[in-house]
Amino acid sequence: MDAEQVKRWRLILGAAAEEKLDAAGGTSGGGARLDEESLLMDEALAAIYDGTAGEVGGGGPGTGAAGGSPRAAGLGASAPRLAKWLGDVRSFFPSDIVSVIQADAVHRKGLTKLLFEPELLAQVKPDIGMVATLMSLRGQIPERTKETARTLVREVVDEIVRRLAQELTRAVTGSLNKRRHSPLPSLTGLDWDKTIRSNLKHYDVERRLLIPEKVYFFDRARKSKEWTVILDIDQSGSMANSVIYASIAGSIFASMPSLETRVVAFDTEVVDLSEACANDPVDLLFGIQLGGGTDINKSVAYCESFVTEPKKTLFLLISDLYEGGNRTEMIRRLRDMHESGVRTMCLLALSDDGAPAYDEDVARKLSTFGIPCFGCSPDKLPELIEGALKGMDLLQLADRVKQAKS
């Protein structure tokens, strides 16, 4: 291995592997040694992954015995040291790696202090994983930290809205505005009386034809609430990222006058979040409690009450389909909803991570009824919504979205 490769492996494996890496690099000491900046990077990693690093800020960069311990220690309790560690992590690593390291600090090391102290939470990189963690801990967050937590969540929400809002709005308006793709207004809107009266002077006596110079159409305002969109969201812990994306998408839909939007979250109980959805998506997220059991059947039964015009209703079940309630009844309800004309789909995941583990047997049965079950990335959601509202075959639409994703 060349010196750069040895150095990279040294950062990955920690100080315990230094002597072996020196030998692998064909050096007589120093091949795996790190420069000053790399030592600071190593110290930041050691705080989470080395069994020998001690407290952050304790000792010099790269301290720690080379006794072969795997990377697995913790940060000290000092807030200043935690603050320094957070600063080092954000300085030396790209944002996607920062997210992984922060998550490991919380979940592997139990460093909830990062989330419970305002001055520390303010230095955490906002990302969807950290929002999911805050949602799961919302009942434990101290009062003094709540406003800082809301600020972090709002940063992530605003970023997702910027990512999705324009394309979702275009998808909905493009599919509902039938005139958009036509050079002329529709024939059904023609004002025959005014067109004839205004063009009588252009009557061709010999040919006995009225040749209009100008055609008049009624200015028909678009009907408000043309479609009902129902998002039924499984808030079990494994669906955390999907819950966040689906909730924010629901808020975007709620801002469109052409849609009647309902957002429902469920575990073993059902919570209607439609009102919060129409106001502030941050409030909506803090109204969701991740974890708990799952009763999909109860939630679908609740959502059925919002279906007043089946052929103008889109129902999205966001769930991994692991049913803790009446599975047979749940499948029947979804089948009946689909057969009544409701555009019915199950998103096994609405996230960038792909489909999670899911109940393959339920998904297979729903697919035989024409109800597609698949994972969808947030960026593909606009295409999915537009196709569904335009009346595309749902199974073909799902295949198209899946192929585009792969």
Side-chain angles (χ1 to χ4, degrees):
M1 289 189 290
D2 61 32
E4 184 61 29
Q5 287 178 311
V6 171
K7 188 178 295 185
R8 287 175 179 273
W9 278 109
R10 164 63 182 80
L11 282 170
I12 292 169
L13 299 174
E18 201 162 90
E19 290 184 6
K20 292 181 180 179
L21 285 170
D22 279 340
T27 66
S28 57
R33 302 295 186 262
L34 304 178
D35 56 34
E36 184 176 352
E37 182 175 305
S38 297
L39 284 169
L40 289 171
M41 293 174 66
D42 186 60
E43 185 181 55
L45 290 171
I48 300 298
Y49 303 110
D50 272 7
T52 57
E55 297 181 350
V56 169
T63 57
S69 300
R71 295 205 140 181
L75 294 165
S78 165
R81 286 171 176 163
L82 278 174
K84 177 186 180 299
W85 175 78
L86 282 168
D88 287 345
V89 167
R90 295 185 70 169
S91 296
F92 294 125
F93 299 98
S95 59
D96 55 340
I97 302 301
V98 172
S99 296
V100 173
I101 295 173
Q102 285 181 170
D104 282 348
V106 173
H107 298 298
R108 294 176 55 161
K109 298 302 172 187
L111 288 180
T112 52
K113 187 171 183 178
L114 285 175
L115 309 179
F116 291 169
E117 296 293 338
E119 65 274 13
L120 294 175
L121 184 57
Q123 296 185 57
V124 168
K125 176 190 175 294
D127 59 55
I128 193 167
M130 199 55 64
V131 170
T133 301
L134 285 169
M135 288 169 61
S136 66
L137 296 171
R138 68 187 179 109
Q140 304 171 44
I141 297 174
E143 197 65 37
R144 67 182 182 277
T145 311
K146 285 184 177 178
E147 193 54 43
T148 308
R150 287 184 66 85
T151 299
L152 184 148
V153 172
R154 185 168 297 283
E155 284 190 53
V156 176
V157 167
D158 288 347
E159 176 57 34
I160 294 173
V161 168
R162 284 192 293 272
R163 176 180 171 186
L164 297 180
Q166 184 175 351
E167 282 302 301
L168 279 176
T169 302
R170 182 207 58 75
V172 171
T173 56
S175 57
L176 298 186
N177 186 357
K178 306 296 192 301
R179 297 178 180 179
R180 176 171 177 171
H181 304 292
S182 174
L184 293 173
S186 73
L187 185 62
T188 59
L190 179 63
D191 186 342
W192 289 99
D193 186 53
K194 185 172 182 179
T195 298
I196 293 170
R197 281 189 289 104
S198 300
N199 290 281
L200 284 174
K201 59 185 176 182
H202 303 297
Y203 183 71
D204 187 324
V205 177
E206 290 185 6
R207 297 167 62 188
R208 303 181 69 181
L209 289 174
L210 179 66
I211 304 174
E213 183 179 76
K214 186 175 181 180
V215 180
Y216 294 87
F217 293 86
F218 292 110
D219 181 17
R220 298 189 303 167
R222 180 186 294 170
K223 173 187 172 186
S224 180
K225 309 300 183 189
E226 290 185 62
W227 275 73
T228 297
V229 174
I230 304 169
L231 285 84
D232 195 17
I233 306 170
D234 182 343
Q235 60 182 357
S236 57
S238 61
M239 299 293 295
N241 286 9
S242 298
V243 169
I244 295 168
Y245 279 121
S247 301
I248 295 171
S251 294
I252 295 170
F253 291 142
S255 69
M256 302 181 197
S258 56
L259 300 180
E260 176 70 36
T261 304
R262 310 296 308 196
V263 177
V264 173
F266 66 91
D267 41 35
T268 53
E269 299 299 327
V270 178
V271 181
D272 194 327
L273 298 169
S274 303
E275 188 173 340
C277 171
N279 297 319
D280 186 345
V282 175
D283 290 337
L284 177 63
L285 290 176
F286 275 103
I288 290 173
Q289 179 62 61
L290 294 174
T294 309
D295 193 335
I296 305 172
N297 181 54
K298 180 188 288 188
S299 184
V300 175
Y302 178 79
C303 292
E304 286 175 335
S305 64
F306 303 129
V307 180
T308 56
E309 196 175 350
K311 293 184 178 179
K312 290 289 185 179
T313 301
L314 173 61
F315 178 77
L316 296 177
L317 173 63
I318 297 95
S319 174
D320 54 17
L321 297 175
Y322 287 114
E323 172 65 312
N326 190 325
R327 192 171 83 159
T328 301
E329 185 75 5
M330 178 264 288
I331 293 172
R332 184 194 63 77
R333 287 186 188 279
L334 289 170
R335 182 199 65 200
D336 290 350
M337 186 181 287
H338 167 71
E339 291 179 350
S340 74
V342 174
R343 311 287 288 169
T344 307
M345 287 182 279
C346 175
L347 301 185
L348 304 168
L350 181 58
S351 71
D352 297 306
D353 303 328
Y358 63 94
D359 192 316
E360 296 183 22
D361 183 50
V362 173
R364 193 179 307 111
K365 287 180 179 177
L366 291 177
S367 295
T368 62
F369 301 135
I371 301 173
C373 303
F374 60 104
C376 178
S377 69
D379 292 334
K380 288 298 174 185
L381 185 61
E383 179 183 350
L384 181 68
I385 297 300
E386 183 172 13
L389 296 181
K390 283 183 173 179
M392 286 184 60
D393 179 276
L394 294 183
L395 292 175
Q396 291 181 9
L397 179 61
D399 285 340
R400 194 168 92 176
V401 170
K402 287 188 283 187
Q403 288 170 7
K405 183 179 178 182
S406 60

